[in-house]
Amino acid sequence: MKKIRIGILGYGNLGRGVELSIAQNPDLELAAIFTRRDPSVLRPLTDHAKVYNVKEALNHKDEIDVMILCGGSSTDLSSQSPAFASHFNVVDSFDTHAKISQHFKSVNTSALLSKHTAAISAGWDPGLFSVNRLYAESVLPLGNSYTFWGKGVSQGHSDALRRIEGVSHAIQYTIPIESAVKEVRKGTHPQYTAREMHTRECYVSLKPGADMDKVYAEIVNMPNYFSDYDTSVHFISDEEFMKNHSAMPHGGFVQRSGTTGAKQENNHIYEFSLTLDSNPEFTSNILVCYARAVYKLFSEGLYGAKTVLEIPPAYLSLQPIEKLRAELL
Amino acid sequence: MKKIRIGILGYGNLGRGVELSIAQNPDLELAAIFTRRDPSVLRPLTDHAKVYNVKEALNHKDEIDVMILCGGSSTDLSSQSPAFASHFNVVDSFDTHAKISQHFKSVNTSALLSKHTAAISAGWDPGLFSVNRLYAESVLPLGNSYTFWGKGVSQGHSDALRRIEGVSHAIQYTIPIESAVKEVRKGTHPQYTAREMHTRECYVSLKPGADMDKVYAEIVNMPNYFSDYDTSVHFISDEEFMKNHSAMPHGGFVQRSGTTGAKQENNHIYEFSLTLDSNPEFTSNILVCYARAVYKLFSEGLYGAKTVLEIPPAYLSLQPIEKLRAELL
């Protein structure tokens, strides 16, 4: 059987995760890695992997069935995804919730025009968590939904810390508040503010001469990121930072409790949870599944952008549908 | 907006659950209830609900957009679903896992020929659990999956008990074996047979003159349902049955733990769980969502049988896809 040829654009944590994930999936093969850096300095994990500068991407169009965009931030993807969708089938994990509709529109326009297929926002939130919010709200129309994240590292919040003057290294852990989690799991339908569901814990090392009090104040009062939460800040050395804060665990859960019955007397709890040792590697595994789905959709002539909400679950699987119906349903 | 007109075939626990669920969904309306009993003896929960004998169903073809089949799968659905798919769009919760492929084929043939759409096996297992087994195995190709049920009442198994000659009332509780659950949650990837994960506990009252030994043997040797499990059978009076066994809780979870990384050094746990006060009412809510999905598929000319694995999540929702992308993704 001809394998699906995957291109990787961007070789950071996500790109390396995608490379590893391809090796777990026998119907896929790594076609090439594209980087903004000098290709000769890259050390791929795969023997004999082809590495090119991103400027050469179009010369290799015919060698790639699906390009997985592993750009580090949403600012990369908002221009990269529509641009690459003009020439390739693409998958991204665009994760700025407030801008997804606009991003969808841009990618969809490019992909429809060039007759390609794209999957956007295909991670775990947005992604698998979104799928579960949708199933939960559909099957329990009367109820309340909750999403808890963590304990885990938030890249966006860690980036925000690193932009503060005087900060050397920084990481932010999002921590669900145990009493809130317990209440939600009882099915009591509580109403919570952001502050009542999560705390934010920051580990920061400072550059020589930095003003600790000033950095502290800037963190806890930062709007959008920290001011709506109870935030704790731990100042540590660079050495301690490197030793204890290099792993990237994450996780969380989506929960909905809802009622049925003539008097809404029956309660039901729907819960979906993830506990991840490596956030980027798990996200990469999801991207790779959606690359397979994109290839299937493209092969059927279903062009344009899709989200995880629109893609049938079976498209993610390596197995033929007859086998899934017989063995997994 | 024109509402989707739902027909209910069979007015037992599931049928009543569907009736209640329609009231939770503003885009749906109850068109009619069809029963094998004398329609005049039925007391629907909905004011002015139309009730007909099932023999009259075809006379009301044009009043029904989707017929939800609320019979038990052991005998009813295997003939009802293909027969009704010749004249109606249908949804069922056919739950004999070993016979799903054959059931799919029968319903698909009928539905394609008559240009209708059908969703089969649309409950929670098969159903939402199947969807989660599929997502989990796709995103974590290297790992082990487990499904635990209960403690709770299995409708399919209870129904199978009630069809045995001489049985008056019957209920079956599926009970997860606690030591197995603990082992799985430790992430030790144990290998279990069906018998090592669950026990099945039956409470049965007999009709006068029934042969207890014969009923017992028929239960514990029943293929697909009981023969692969340690099954206990308690014979009780009708009075005790009514007093202690009228609630129908259920639940369970699908779990997969899998690895990523160059040396498979990172572990990830995917878990989906349900805790249900009323199994039939929750199942009914799922059937109703898939009735909406069937109507959408039919409206797009997508005929034939589908399973939950093939139906895009967004088809279940009352909300337009643009709103789902903007607010829920």
Side-chain angles (χ1 to χ4, degrees):
Chain A
M1 199 188 71
K2 191 182 154 289
K3 294 191 179 193
I4 303 172
R5 300 164 303 168
I6 306 291
I8 294 174
L9 175 59
Y11 197 66
N13 287 326
L14 262 189
R16 274 190 296 276
V18 167
E19 186 183 9
L20 289 166
S21 182
I22 290 168
Q24 292 192 342
N25 289 282
D27 60 330
L28 310 179
E29 67 183 13
L30 174 62
I33 297 166
F34 298 90
T35 175
R36 279 186 288 215
R37 290 176 269 172
D38 172 0
S40 69
V41 304
L42 237 68
R43 294 268 166 277
L45 304 161
T46 312
D47 284 343
H48 315 298
K50 291 174 188 160
V51 184
Y52 304 109
N53 188 278
V54 65
K55 289 172 191 162
E56 295 175 57
L58 284 197
N59 301 332
H60 301 279
K61 235 176 103 157
D62 299 337
E63 299 153 31
I64 311 285
D65 292 315
V66 185
M67 185 75 95
I68 301 182
L69 308 185
C70 301
S73 74
S74 295
T75 48
D76 285 342
L77 296 175
S78 58
S79 57
Q80 268 183 354
S81 298
F84 277 78
S86 294
H87 306 282
F88 295 89
N89 297 313
V90 299
V91 184
D92 77 27
S93 59
F94 186 86
D95 68 355
T96 310
H97 289 261
K99 294 180 181 169
I100 287 175
S101 286
Q102 182 51 52
H103 186 64
F104 177 87
K105 219 176 260 184
S106 316
V107 179
N108 192 42
T109 304
S110 290
L112 282 175
L113 199 64
S114 71
K115 293 207 165 89
H116 284 101
T117 306
I120 65 150
S121 302
W124 57 274
D125 196 359
L128 296 184
F129 271 26
S130 321
V131 164
N132 277 281
R133 283 190 284 264
L134 175 54
Y135 278 114
E137 292 185 10
S138 300
V139 301
L140 291 171
L142 302 186
N144 287 82
S145 292
Y146 304 88
T147 300
F148 282 91
W149 298 275
K151 181 185 176 174
V153 177
S154 163
Q155 285 304 334
H157 289 76
S158 300
D159 287 344
L161 293 176
R162 285 190 285 264
R163 286 196 291 265
I164 294 171
E165 201 189 316
V167 168
S168 170
H169 293 97
I171 197 163
Q172 192 265 191
Y173 298 96
T174 304
I175 298 166
I177 295 173
E178 205 46 55
S179 57
V181 170
K182 269 190 192 154
E183 207 56 41
V184 160
R185 286 197 168 137
K186 273 193 227 157
T188 56
H189 301 243
Q191 299 293 325
Y192 288 130
T193 62
R195 190 183 297 272
E196 289 166 333
M197 290 175 75
H198 297 92
T199 56
R200 299 198 175 276
E201 199 167 340
C202 309
Y203 288 82
V204 176
S205 69
L206 295 175
K207 289 175 183 160
D211 181 340
M212 190 186 284
D213 292 343
K214 196 163 163 281
V215 169
Y216 176 83
E218 205 167 325
I219 294 172
V220 299
N221 297 315
M222 194 186 295
N224 300 323
Y225 286 88
F226 295 106
S227 61
D228 292 338
Y229 297 86
D230 290 337
T231 301
S232 61
V233 185
H234 307 270
F235 290 100
I236 59 176
S237 66
D238 279 351
E239 292 68 34
E240 193 184 332
F241 187 91
M242 293 306 178
K243 193 176 149 213
N244 297 330
H245 300 281
S246 56
M248 281 173 284
H250 215 324
F253 66 93
V254 168
Q255 198 253 27
R256 185 169 178 86
S257 65
T259 54
T260 62
K263 294 169 182 164
Q264 306 305 320
E265 69 275 21
N266 290 316
N267 197 54
H268 307 283
I269 295 176
Y270 177 117
E271 185 168 321
F272 172 71
S273 71
L274 293 171
T275 309
L276 312 173
D277 277 357
S278 165
N279 183 4
E281 285 180 8
F282 186 75
T283 301
S284 299
N285 271 30
I286 299 173
L287 284 166
V288 162
C289 284
Y290 279 99
R292 176 186 290 129
V294 158
Y295 183 72
K296 290 185 191 178
L297 290 163
F298 173 77
S299 304
E300 295 172 13
L302 297 168
Y303 307 132
K306 318 277 171 193
T307 68
V308 297
L309 307 179
E310 293 144 88
I311 295 175
Y315 278 63
L316 273 69
S317 177
L318 160 64
Q319 305 297 340
I321 183 64
E322 294 76 16
K323 194 170 147 78
L324 294 173
R325 273 190 221 118
E327 294 174 12
L328 194 138
L329 195 66
Chain B
M1 201 187 73
K2 192 183 153 291
K3 295 192 178 193
I4 304 172
R5 300 164 304 167
I6 306 291
I8 294 174
L9 176 58
Y11 197 67
N13 289 323
L14 263 189
R16 273 190 298 275
V18 167
E19 186 183 10
L20 289 166
S21 182
I22 290 168
Q24 292 191 342
N25 288 283
D27 60 330
L28 309 179
E29 66 183 14
L30 174 61
I33 297 166
F34 297 90
T35 176
R36 279 187 287 214
R37 289 176 270 172
D38 172 0
S40 69
V41 305
L42 238 70
R43 295 257 169 281
L45 304 161
T46 312
D47 285 340
H48 314 298
K50 291 173 189 162
V51 184
Y52 304 110
N53 189 278
V54 64
K55 289 173 190 161
E56 296 175 57
L58 285 197
N59 300 332
H60 301 278
K61 235 175 105 158
D62 299 337
E63 298 152 33
I64 311 284
D65 293 315
V66 186
M67 185 76 94
I68 302 183
L69 308 184
C70 300
S73 70
S74 52
T75 59
D76 289 344
L77 296 175
S78 58
S79 56
Q80 267 184 354
S81 298
F84 277 79
S86 294
H87 304 283
F88 295 90
N89 297 311
V90 300
V91 184
D92 77 26
S93 59
F94 186 87
D95 68 355
T96 309
H97 289 260
K99 295 182 181 169
I100 287 176
S101 285
Q102 182 50 52
H103 186 65
F104 177 86
K105 218 175 261 183
S106 315
V107 179
N108 192 41
T109 303
S110 290
L112 283 175
L113 198 64
S114 70
K115 293 208 165 80
H116 284 101
T117 307
I120 65 149
S121 303
W124 58 272
D125 196 358
L128 296 183
F129 271 27
S130 321
V131 164
N132 276 281
R133 284 190 285 265
L134 175 54
Y135 279 114
E137 292 185 10
S138 301
V139 301
L140 291 171
L142 302 185
N144 287 81
S145 293
Y146 302 89
T147 300
F148 281 91
W149 300 275
K151 180 186 176 174
V153 177
S154 162
Q155 281 176 250
H157 288 77
S158 300
D159 192 60
L161 292 177
R162 282 190 289 265
R163 284 168 196 282
I164 294 173
E165 202 189 315
V167 168
S168 169
H169 293 96
I171 197 161
Q172 192 263 192
Y173 298 97
T174 304
I175 300 167
I177 296 173
E178 204 45 55
S179 57
V181 171
K182 270 189 190 154
E183 207 57 40
V184 161
R185 288 210 163 120
K186 271 192 227 157
T188 56
H189 299 239
Q191 299 294 324
Y192 289 130
T193 62
R195 195 181 295 276
E196 289 167 333
M197 292 173 75
H198 297 92
T199 57
R200 297 196 178 276
E201 200 166 338
C202 308
Y203 289 81
V204 176
S205 69
L206 295 175
K207 288 176 184 162
D211 181 340
M212 191 186 284
D213 291 345
K214 195 163 163 279
V215 169
Y216 176 83
E218 204 168 327
I219 294 173
V220 300
N221 296 315
M222 194 186 295
N224 299 324
Y225 286 86
F226 295 105
S227 60
D228 293 337
Y229 297 86
D230 289 338
T231 301
S232 59
V233 185
H234 307 269
F235 290 100
I236 59 176
S237 66
D238 278 351
E239 292 68 35
E240 193 184 333
F241 187 90
M242 293 306 176
K243 193 176 149 213
N244 297 330
H245 301 282
S246 56
M248 281 173 284
H250 213 328
F253 65 93
V254 167
Q255 198 248 31
R256 185 171 179 85
S257 67
T259 55
T260 63
K263 293 168 182 165
Q264 306 305 322
E265 69 275 22
N266 290 317
N267 197 55
H268 308 282
I269 294 175
Y270 178 116
E271 188 170 318
F272 172 71
S273 71
L274 293 172
T275 310
L276 312 174
D277 277 355
S278 165
N279 182 6
E281 286 180 8
F282 187 75
T283 301
S284 298
N285 270 29
I286 299 172
L287 284 166
V288 161
C289 284
Y290 279 99
R292 176 187 290 128
V294 158
Y295 184 72
K296 291 185 190 178
L297 291 162
F298 172 77
S299 305
E300 294 172 13
L302 298 167
Y303 307 133
K306 318 277 170 192
T307 70
V308 297
L309 307 177
E310 293 145 86
I311 296 175
Y315 277 63
L316 272 68
S317 178
L318 159 65
Q319 306 296 340
I321 184 63
E322 295 76 16
K323 192 170 148 77
L324 294 173
R325 274 190 219 116
E327 294 174 14
L328 193 139
L329 196 65

